[in-house]
Amino acid sequence: MQRLRLLAGSWPGIQLVVLVGAGTIPTAAWIASGLRLLLTDDDYAGDLIGGAVTVRRAMDRVLWTRSPMANFSARYARHATTLHGVPVPAGVPILISHAATGTDPALPSLGYDHRSHLAWSAGPHRCPADSQAAVIAQTGIETLLDQLWNLDLTDAEVPNRPGPFHTCPAALGIRFRPQPVDPPATGGPRDLHTADPRHHRHPPL
């Protein structure tokens, strides 16, 4: 325990907190929220099967509506001030809500394909690993959809993990049918529900 206290106050300890808090957890949250969108939104599920949308498009929508890093980028008031009528004493930290920037009802409708969201923050302190996170998240979702068939959520109303920083499902219960060891030979009769390994939901009628 004493070693943990020493590590927490050291530069390697700070880097470890940033790596986990601003890297590992948000990436896992992005995967979970993207998968939940694909399994609960019939429009996305049907369009994905039909090839009209890609997994990456669903991931972009998540960055708009469920930013994995909900609140971060702390700023400290140098002197006592007010922010939108709220008094802020000197030295008090203020967290920027990346989640709120994408869900403000006053925003014009740009469409979820528009990547002007602030899920990665902006400026000199913008996330330096957005492309790496995108590759990890997209690979994780596509691999899961390819390897597990007939995916379905056991409960679509999943609460988020408690905490002020992340938007991350507390759990994601999924039913699925494993891919057969010996897939049927190509050219023969194909089951409608297993023709595509990513056929996780029936297309909407």
Side-chain angles (χ1 to χ4, degrees):
M1 184 61 70
Q2 183 65 26
R3 288 183 179 179
L4 290 177
R5 292 195 190 98
L6 292 174
L7 181 61
S10 65
W11 179 247
I14 294 172
Q15 293 297 304
L16 183 61
V17 169
V18 172
L19 174 64
V20 175
T24 305
I25 296 177
T27 304
W30 197 10
I31 293 173
S33 295
L35 185 61
R36 177 165 61 179
L37 173 64
L38 290 169
L39 296 180
T40 56
D41 190 308
D42 286 334
D43 290 336
Y44 271 77
D47 289 344
L48 177 67
I49 297 166
V53 301
T54 62
V55 168
R56 183 56 193 269
R57 184 179 296 182
M59 291 168 56
D60 286 336
R61 178 175 176 178
V62 168
L63 294 180
W64 273 104
T65 60
R66 299 183 61 84
S67 176
M69 182 64 78
N71 305 294
F72 209 61
S73 305
R75 297 292 184 269
Y76 293 83
R78 295 185 178 182
H79 51 79
T81 184
T82 59
L83 183 63
H84 294 284
V86 178
V88 180
V92 170
I94 300 172
L95 294 180
I96 296 175
S97 179
H98 304 289
T101 62
T103 56
D104 186 347
L107 284 175
S109 179
L110 300 175
Y112 296 122
D113 292 334
H114 200 285
R115 295 184 179 178
S116 62
H117 56 73
L118 294 176
W120 305 110
S121 189
H125 297 289
R126 187 182 190 276
C127 176
D130 55 336
S131 58
Q132 292 89 337
V135 169
I136 293 171
Q138 184 170 346
T139 301
I141 294 174
E142 289 182 344
T143 300
L144 190 146
L145 295 177
D146 285 337
Q147 296 299 317
L148 304 180
W149 292 8
N150 293 93
L151 292 170
D152 202 3
L153 288 180
T154 58
D155 185 6
E157 300 299 326
V158 179
N160 288 327
R161 289 178 46 178
F165 300 111
H166 308 107
T167 303
C168 180
L172 209 61
I174 295 178
R175 290 187 297 265
F176 65 92
R177 184 164 62 85
Q179 190 179 100
V181 176
D182 297 319
T186 57
R190 305 182 73 188
D191 184 351
L192 174 64
H193 302 308
T194 59
D196 188 337
R198 295 178 295 180
H199 190 108
H200 50 273
R201 289 177 65 86
H202 302 294
L205 298 176

